[in-house]
Amino acid sequence: MKILGIPKKNEKKEKEPITSFKESYPIIPLKNLVVFPTMTYPFMVGRKISINAVEVAMKTDKKVFLVMQKKSEIEHPKQADLHKVGTICEILQILKIPDGTIKVLVEGLKRAKVKDIFKEEEYYKSNVEILDPSVEQDKKLELEGQVRHVKQLFEDYVKYNKRVPPESMITIMSTDDPGTISDLIISQLSSKPDDKQKILEQMDLIKRFKDLAIFISNEIEISKVEKEVQEKVRKQLEKTQKEYYLQEQMKVIKKELGDKGDYLDEIEELKEKIKKAKLPKETLEKCEKELSRLEKMPPLSAESSVIRTYIDWLLDLPWSEKSTDKVDIKESKRILDEDHYGLKKIKERILEYIAVRKLAKKAKGQILCFVGPPGVGKTSLARSIARSLGRNFVRISLGGVRDEAEIRGHRRTYVGALPGRIVQGMKKAKYKNPVFLLDEVDKMSTDFRGDPSAALLEVLDPEQNNSFSDHYIELPYDLSDVFFITTANTIDPIPRALLDRMELISIPGYTEDEKVHIAEQFLVKKQLDENGLTADNMELGHQSLYAIIRSYTREAGVRELERTIASICRKVARDIVENETKKCTIIKAVSLKKYLGPEKFRFGEAEKKDEIGVATGLAWTEAGGDIISVEVSIVPGSGKLILTGKLGEVFQESAQAALSFARSRAKQYNLPLEFYKKNDIHIHVPEGAVPKDGPSAGITLASALISALSRIPIRKDVAMTGEITLRGKVLPIGGVKEKVLSAHRADINNVILPVENKKDFEDIPQQVQSRIKFHFVETMDEVLKICLSHKKTKRTASNRPDEPSSRAQVHKKAGMARKDTADYKSDEIQPSL
């Protein structure tokens, strides 16, 4: 039994008065386990009657009496089947296992003797007598001698047995109480349970230490025999290997190999390469050993080809060669700005790394993870980082990788074995400090061949990758100088342990202004060159780019935008060739249909007017973000809630929460008190083919629902996002930047956000902040004050008879007051919330 820990307060427990212990305790019989005082033990409890005893003890003083069975095969022991002496223990912790058993952690307190055992409902209880070790006054010197003798024996035992933890030895040597010393030592021995029980029952300390000395001596002799056996086995293996090498040499000598001139020249060439290569000591020894084997083999044997390939790999890897880093921050900043527009946070992070490299020469390699939607420039940014640092760039794609050997390589025992992609990439880099891109790290999968993400744990751990082990190379390889960059579209598929080893840097979608700038600065020039055009042949205006972005692309990045510009360039090139004209073609927004056909996407626009039961929400998508309209219609019925528009489970629960909130505030908002009984409520989110889910539409649903019930329009220039609770609290949401950008694209001037999302405000571009007024709210009452329109509504045929025919009547009935707010210059009719 392994000791989990030794109590620090041994003395206090020994001085604890006997009166603190009761006369009877729940009893738990143990199989092949002896528990000693002052020691901590874990064990499993599976028998029902023992489980009941544990539960009873946990409800009282947490003390139980543990005693070992004489025979472990007995499942229902009686008093005669148990030893007479056991230990009173305190339960420190229990853990219930799904299979019904309980893992119990106890601390031994006192030896005790069983008087009698009796059944108490569903468990057994035992009357016990506390036992204390004794020694006669005139034999204390003899006891001291026995204690020293046993300590010396235990020191000898520890030399042969490395399984004893050092802290246990320190504790034993620093303990003065003989009883505690004996308990500590016997717990560390690999003695039989019956021998340990004998020590537990022995109350004469001198006899106890004599028995203990015998047990330790026996264990020392056993350990000596084990060591001798291991030494003989090792020598036998060495002898067998020596014989094998000699036999192989004899085969080479006896066999005529013909002309060996070229083969010997090749061996000499390898020797020269090994001498010139600056290899670590361990690698050098491995190369020399393999080369020695190669010399003794026939040149046409299959094994010689394997060894030659292996040596070539060892010599081709950069073991010590490093490229010189550029540490000029201004030049690096110029390169980053030249290659990419925006991306302020990432550029700052790279410049910080360069500054650290300039100050600390031994800085470790960085491990970054770029997370963002497709087309935002993650891969090209990694290449730009390598250029700014003056390092070589290596890229491997992990998309679809499902074999652990792809990362760590195959062992040389396999035919056609090769190193893993990491080592192959280092060979390609030629230096040991490249910028190494692991692309699409979220696209890996697993099967029966292993988990490649688990193999990456060592690669991407700064504390471990200085001795990365590849199955093929079989030597520790230092990756600590490599600047690792991984890319992913989302972090959800990435295992938590792997995610913890990387510094996440989010790259969200670009704003319209950023896309236009990127197109003007990079994409248009690139496509003109690739299609054989110049600026004199074609001009793509500012407004045309905005039109392309809004009507012909829907993405967070710029890949589709680049393809669309390329399509226009090809058509212009064809016109030039067919008509043999050199006239400059000016592409205007109104003429895009000629080059690109009908508009592909409906640009997200705000509602044309204030409408009843229609609220504008904000949604996050992989393409960056979009606005959605939530429509609510109240029709006569039986109280059904109808949800359409391909809504997910969480979205539907948000709708139910919004309905419950409206019902709870019906009187306060002047809603028909039994509207949920006499009417059906139909909630629809347009674009029904597009799946929609998430809790962030909660306040949008509630606003549209209350608007439909109260016949008060919702302002067309207000968009909102936030989760709602049944009490009307507005909870924070994610994807704030993308959602706000979608509102900006739709020319919406007011955005309602949860107050807890103020922390995300700094991520929103400055030009967007200047064009939108943000309202941070905590409750649904605040949302309604902002979003409900102050304009009067006309009486229509759809107004129910029991509803007021005008907004003024609604105000009067609901107790609404007209006042100015801090957010708007115009007067607003406020609900009495």
Side-chain angles (χ1 to χ4, degrees):
M1 171 57 64
K2 183 178 179 181
I3 301 174
L4 293 186
I6 301 173
K8 295 181 179 178
K9 299 181 180 180
N10 286 331
E11 295 183 4
K12 289 187 178 180
K13 288 187 178 292
E14 292 167 4
K15 294 178 181 179
E16 189 176 14
I18 295 178
T19 54
S20 65
F21 293 92
K22 302 183 297 187
E23 292 184 356
S24 62
Y25 296 91
I27 185 171
I28 299 177
L30 301 177
K31 296 180 180 180
N32 298 322
L33 176 62
V34 181
V35 177
F36 289 88
T38 74
M39 307 305 295
T40 304
Y41 292 84
F43 62 93
M44 302 300 296
V45 177
R47 289 179 282 201
K48 181 63 178 176
I49 199 161
S50 298
I51 293 175
N52 293 337
V54 172
E55 292 176 347
V56 169
M58 291 301 293
K59 293 177 181 178
T60 55
D61 58 357
K62 297 186 179 181
K63 291 185 175 63
V64 292
F65 182 67
L66 304 183
V67 63
M68 188 176 75
Q69 297 178 193
K70 294 178 180 178
K71 295 182 179 180
S72 61
E73 60 269 20
I74 299 175
E75 283 300 318
H76 303 287
K78 299 179 181 178
Q79 184 170 351
D81 300 319
L82 304 176
H83 287 282
K84 292 182 179 180
V85 177
T87 305
I88 299 172
C89 299
E90 181 179 4
I91 299 175
L92 301 179
Q93 185 180 8
I94 65 171
L95 177 64
K96 294 186 178 180
I97 310 299
D99 62 1
T101 60
I102 298 178
K103 186 173 184 180
V104 183
L105 181 65
V106 299
E107 180 184 7
L109 300 178
K110 283 284 186 179
R111 283 176 170 81
K113 184 177 181 181
V114 179
K115 286 185 176 181
D116 56 67
I117 299 175
F118 54 95
K119 191 168 185 180
E120 189 91 17
E121 295 181 357
E122 296 298 324
Y123 69 99
Y124 284 103
K125 206 169 185 179
S126 173
N127 287 327
V128 299
E129 176 185 355
I130 304 296
L131 300 178
D132 285 311
S134 61
V135 62
E136 297 176 10
Q137 187 67 27
D138 57 345
K139 293 185 177 181
K140 285 191 174 181
L141 289 176
E142 181 181 354
L143 176 62
E144 180 65 24
Q146 291 289 346
V147 171
R148 292 184 181 181
H149 176 57
V150 167
K151 282 186 175 181
Q152 183 60 47
L153 286 173
F154 187 71
E155 283 185 6
D156 296 337
Y157 171 76
V158 171
K159 294 177 182 177
Y160 289 100
N161 195 324
K162 302 299 182 183
R163 289 172 291 183
V164 179
E167 58 268 21
S168 298
M169 188 66 193
I170 295 171
T171 304
I172 291 169
M173 293 304 169
S174 61
T175 303
D176 296 325
D177 180 59
T180 303
I181 292 172
S182 65
D183 292 341
L184 290 171
I185 291 177
I186 190 63
S187 299
Q188 298 293 337
L189 299 181
S190 303
S191 302
K192 297 178 181 178
D194 290 337
D195 293 338
K196 292 186 176 183
Q197 180 66 30
K198 185 177 179 181
I199 296 296
L200 183 71
E201 294 178 355
Q202 183 58 260
M203 302 310 297
D204 187 330
L205 288 176
I206 293 178
K207 291 182 179 180
R208 184 190 297 180
F209 274 92
K210 286 181 179 179
D211 292 338
L212 195 55
I214 294 173
F215 293 153
I216 296 175
S217 298
N218 290 338
E219 290 296 326
I220 290 174
E221 292 301 319
I222 293 171
S223 298
K224 287 181 178 179
V225 172
E226 287 179 351
K227 190 170 183 180
E228 289 175 2
V229 171
Q230 291 174 358
E231 186 67 19
K232 287 180 180 179
V233 171
R234 186 182 66 80
K235 289 181 178 180
Q236 183 63 35
L237 287 173
E238 289 179 354
K239 181 181 178 181
T240 303
Q241 290 175 346
K242 184 177 180 180
E243 291 175 354
Y244 172 77
Y245 288 135
L246 291 174
Q247 288 173 0
E248 291 297 312
Q249 286 179 340
M250 291 299 295
K251 288 179 183 179
V252 174
I253 293 171
K254 291 179 180 180
K255 192 172 183 180
E256 293 183 3
L257 301 176
D259 185 9
K260 296 173 55 180
D262 293 342
Y263 182 65
L264 294 176
D265 290 342
E266 195 174 340
I267 296 294
E268 290 300 320
E269 183 182 344
L270 287 175
K271 287 182 178 179
E272 288 299 318
K273 285 185 177 180
I274 292 173
K275 288 180 181 179
K276 292 179 181 179
K278 298 177 181 178
L279 301 177
K281 182 180 178 182
E282 190 174 357
T283 307
L284 179 61
E285 292 174 354
K286 185 73 172 177
C287 279
E288 291 175 345
K289 180 181 177 182
E290 293 296 325
L291 185 61
S292 176
R293 288 183 61 200
L294 184 63
E295 285 183 290
K296 299 168 187 177
M297 286 184 178
L300 300 179
S301 68
E303 183 68 15
S304 65
S305 176
V306 172
I307 294 176
R308 173 61 198 267
T309 304
Y310 177 69
I311 294 175
D312 285 341
W313 270 104
L314 291 183
L315 294 176
D316 288 341
L317 285 176
W319 294 94
S320 56
E321 299 85 355
K322 287 186 181 182
S323 60
T324 304
D325 283 353
K326 292 181 181 177
V327 289
D328 187 341
I329 289 185
K330 292 183 179 179
E331 176 63 15
S332 299
K333 186 176 185 302
R334 184 194 65 78
I335 293 173
L336 292 172
D337 290 338
E338 180 182 293
D339 291 348
H340 291 84
Y341 176 76
L343 305 177
K344 180 180 177 182
K345 285 188 176 181
I346 300 175
K347 292 178 181 178
E348 287 180 352
R349 181 65 183 85
I350 303 306
L351 296 177
E352 289 169 3
Y353 172 72
I354 295 172
V356 171
R357 289 290 297 178
K358 189 169 184 177
L359 297 176
K361 302 298 182 183
K362 295 183 180 180
K364 292 183 178 179
Q366 300 297 299
I367 301 170
L368 307 180
C369 180
F370 296 161
V371 182
V376 295
K378 300 184 293 295
T379 304
S380 61
L381 181 61
R383 187 176 285 104
S384 179
I385 290 172
R387 192 163 78 92
S388 67
L389 292 173
R391 296 189 180 189
N392 287 2
F393 177 74
V394 180
R395 173 188 172 273
I396 63 172
S397 177
L398 298 178
V401 172
R402 61 181 65 189
D403 187 356
E404 180 248 2
E406 291 277 350
I407 306 299
R408 286 192 177 276
H410 294 85
R411 300 191 185 278
R412 284 189 290 156
T413 52
Y414 295 100
V415 177
L418 284 173
R421 292 195 181 189
I422 301 297
V423 171
Q424 291 183 33
M426 294 305 297
K427 176 185 175 182
K428 182 181 176 183
K430 300 180 181 178
Y431 294 101
K432 64 176 294 186
N433 62 337
V435 173
F436 204 124
L437 176 65
L438 302 173
D439 215 358
E440 309 294 354
V441 73
D442 58 329
K443 305 299 190 302
M444 291 186 295
S445 57
T446 61
D447 64 5
F448 64 93
R449 289 169 292 188
D451 184 358
S453 63
L456 279 179
L457 293 178
E458 183 182 4
V459 176
L460 300 179
D461 191 337
E463 302 300 325
Q464 300 181 41
N465 64 8
N466 59 349
S467 57
F468 171 67
S469 176
D470 184 275
H471 292 326
Y472 182 85
I473 300 298
E474 294 180 337
L475 290 168
Y477 189 80
D478 186 4
L479 296 173
S480 61
D481 292 316
V482 179
F483 193 138
F484 282 107
I485 298 175
T486 64
T487 69
N489 296 131
T490 176
I491 63 174
D492 295 335
I494 303 175
R496 189 67 195 173
L498 182 59
L499 200 63
D500 185 58
R501 285 162 165 77
M502 302 182 290
E503 179 182 344
L504 294 181
I505 297 180
S506 178
I507 306 179
Y510 295 113
T511 65
E512 279 188 351
D513 292 341
E514 288 174 334
K515 287 183 180 180
V516 169
H517 192 101
I518 291 170
E520 292 177 338
Q521 188 173 341
F522 302 101
L523 304 183
V524 174
K525 295 177 182 178
K526 177 182 176 183
Q527 291 306 318
L528 287 175
D529 291 339
E530 290 185 359
N531 290 278
L533 302 174
T534 64
D536 296 331
N537 300 126
M538 189 188 83
E539 181 181 327
L540 194 57
H542 202 70
Q543 294 303 319
S544 300
L545 289 172
Y546 272 109
I548 292 172
I549 292 167
R550 293 181 175 183
S551 303
Y552 292 93
T553 65
R554 179 168 289 181
E555 58 178 346
V558 292
R559 279 192 185 140
E560 186 62 29
L561 175 60
E562 183 176 5
R563 284 192 288 266
T564 306
I565 294 172
S567 177
I568 295 174
C569 291
R570 289 193 298 271
K571 288 180 171 56
V572 171
R574 179 182 174 184
D575 288 342
I576 292 174
V577 173
E578 287 182 348
N579 300 323
E580 297 183 356
T581 179
K582 295 183 180 180
K583 185 180 178 181
C584 180
T585 303
I586 299 176
I587 310 298
K588 297 182 179 180
V590 293
S591 62
L592 285 176
K593 190 173 182 180
K594 171 185 173 183
Y595 295 95
L596 301 175
E599 295 181 353
K600 296 180 180 180
F601 300 104
R602 174 180 172 270
F603 175 66
E605 296 179 351
E607 297 297 328
K608 304 287 185 187
K609 60 181 180 178
D610 299 351
E611 292 194 38
I612 294 172
V614 179
T616 303
L618 301 174
W620 180 92
T621 68
E622 288 189 357
D626 202 355
I627 65 171
I628 60 172
S629 294
V630 175
E631 301 175 350
V632 177
S633 179
I634 311 296
V635 295
S638 57
K640 295 179 182 178
L641 176 62
I642 305 167
L643 302 172
T644 57
K646 203 169 185 180
L647 309 181
E649 183 178 348
V650 178
F651 200 108
Q652 294 181 32
E653 291 175 354
S654 296
Q656 293 168 355
L659 176 59
S660 297
F661 169 75
R663 288 176 59 183
S664 68
R665 300 289 183 92
K667 186 175 180 180
Q668 184 174 348
Y669 294 157
N670 191 35
L671 307 179
L673 295 180
E674 296 187 350
F675 68 85
Y676 55 90
K677 292 182 179 180
K678 300 178 181 179
N679 303 286
D680 287 344
I681 300 173
H682 187 166
I683 298 177
H684 176 70
V685 183
E687 298 188 29
V690 181
K692 310 166 190 74
D693 205 356
S696 62
I699 64 173
T700 314
L701 289 163
S703 300
L705 181 58
I706 292 173
S707 170
L709 291 168
S710 64
R711 312 306 297 171
I712 302 174
I714 293 180
R715 291 173 51 181
K716 64 181 181 181
D717 62 340
V718 174
M720 62 194 79
T721 178
E723 182 179 352
I724 188 175
T725 69
L726 294 177
R727 296 173 298 162
K729 299 288 185 182
V730 180
L731 302 183
I733 44 80
V736 172
K737 179 181 177 182
E738 290 81 0
K739 292 177 179 180
V740 171
L741 293 182
S742 66
H744 170 63
R745 287 196 298 267
D747 290 330
I748 293 176
N749 302 323
N750 295 274
V751 172
I752 300 176
L753 295 173
V755 70
E756 292 186 43
N757 284 114
K758 273 188 177 180
K759 62 182 184 297
D760 304 310
F761 192 68
E762 62 181 20
D763 295 333
I764 300 170
Q766 193 62 42
Q767 68 268 26
V768 177
Q769 293 183 26
S770 63
R771 299 179 187 178
I772 295 179
K773 176 171 281 188
F774 294 89
H775 307 269
F776 294 97
V777 298
E778 291 184 286
T779 64
M780 193 62 208
D781 297 343
E782 298 174 62
V783 175
L784 295 175
K785 288 179 181 179
I786 297 167
C787 72
L788 293 181
S789 174
H790 66 278
K791 297 178 181 178
K792 295 183 179 181
T793 58
K794 296 182 179 179
R795 175 84 176 190
T796 64
S798 63
N799 286 117
R800 296 190 301 275
D802 59 339
E803 293 178 336
S805 59
S806 70
R807 178 63 189 266
Q809 290 174 305
V810 174
H811 296 162
K812 183 177 180 181
K813 190 173 181 181
M816 295 182 177
R818 182 181 299 269
K819 68 174 185 178
D820 292 335
T821 69
D823 290 333
Y824 299 98
K825 296 179 181 179
S826 59
D827 290 338
E828 291 187 351
I829 307 301
Q830 305 291 339
S832 56
L833 304 175

